[in-house]
Amino acid sequence: MNGTVGSPEPGSVIVGVDGSDPARRAALWAAAEAARRDSPLRIVYAAGTDGRVLHLSAESIERVRGAGSELLRETAAAVEERYSGLHVTTEFSRSAPVPSLHRTAGLRGIVVVGNRGLGGFKNLMLGSVGLKVAAGATTPVVVVRGTDNGAETGVVLAAVRDDHDAECARYAAREAEIRKGSLRLLHVWNILESAGVAVTMLDDVEAIAGEHVHHLMAVTDRIRAEFPDLNVQADAEKSLTVAGVLVEASRHADLLVMGGRRSPGFIGPTLGRATHSLLHHAHCPVLLIPRHGSGRGSES
């Protein structure tokens, strides 16, 4: 079952493993996602030995390879025990984890990572590899969080900021369909950012709210037209913190879908403030869709 480095089949689900419990949970989540999509699953262990060849002996490199290969075998066996009909391949990469996962995903793969690696604070912070994978993503990336919090809700939650998020909402609708669930489109706007901090400007809040609702409904109408059999709920909320509302809403969802393209100068080309917060603190897995447009929402 050991595969070779190269582009996977279109639509493959790629998951990175490193021996940590979060990575194991990510692998099982990725397997379930691949089964829902009827897509292949590729399990990747990236040893990063190419970057340390001057500092490691041949014996050390061989031990790393042996441990990595064993981890791949164990993970594949655990996946196949639950999903016997799933097409699973494994890949041992000598490159670093981030470029290995991006390369393996190719142009159409979806990358899945755990919420932390072998270090970091348990169940809180996103590990550095996961953060870098998400920040440099050109294809969808899932950070698996909160999967032990209870029964599935059947709800896919999508964060909608403006018309540029139509593709993100469409992706979320497909996820809801394959789960035989429902879709909640949630638009959150920062009242101070929109109206300013001067009290006199707050007289315009209702007009501003109407503009935000207009953007949400424009996306909602398109999704309802394209997915007539899907139960679609649309909500607009105002708050002093966009991330806080989305984190709380994620308690009642199986998956949170967000767009994330930002200009360079923030945490990464794909991560803005709200996206960064959700990847660290959401109560359910977060699916990040790289956003190529220059949208209006500054909290992306």
Side-chain angles (χ1 to χ4, degrees), residues 74-105:
E74 291 176 354
T75 306
V79 163
E80 291 183 320
E81 184 177 356
R82 293 196 185 190
Y83 305 97
S84 58
L86 189 63
H87 177 54
V88 181
T89 60
T90 63
E91 176 184 321
F92 179 94
S93 172
R94 297 177 303 179
S95 301
V98 175
S100 295
L101 291 169
H102 285 162
R103 182 183 64 247
T104 306

Side-chain angles (χ1 to χ4, degrees), residues 16-69:
V17 295
D18 61 4
S20 66
D21 287 339
R24 181 180 177 84
R25 288 195 294 271
L28 294 175
W29 190 96
E33 180 72 3
R36 283 189 290 262
R37 293 163 167 258
D38 195 23
S39 298
L41 174 70
R42 179 168 288 193
I43 307 169
V44 178
Y45 178 85
T49 51
D50 279 354
R52 297 180 290 165
V53 66
L54 297 179
H55 308 287
L56 295 175
S57 65
E59 292 79 9
S60 296
I61 292 176
E62 187 57 35
R63 282 197 297 271
V64 170
R65 181 174 182 84
S69 298

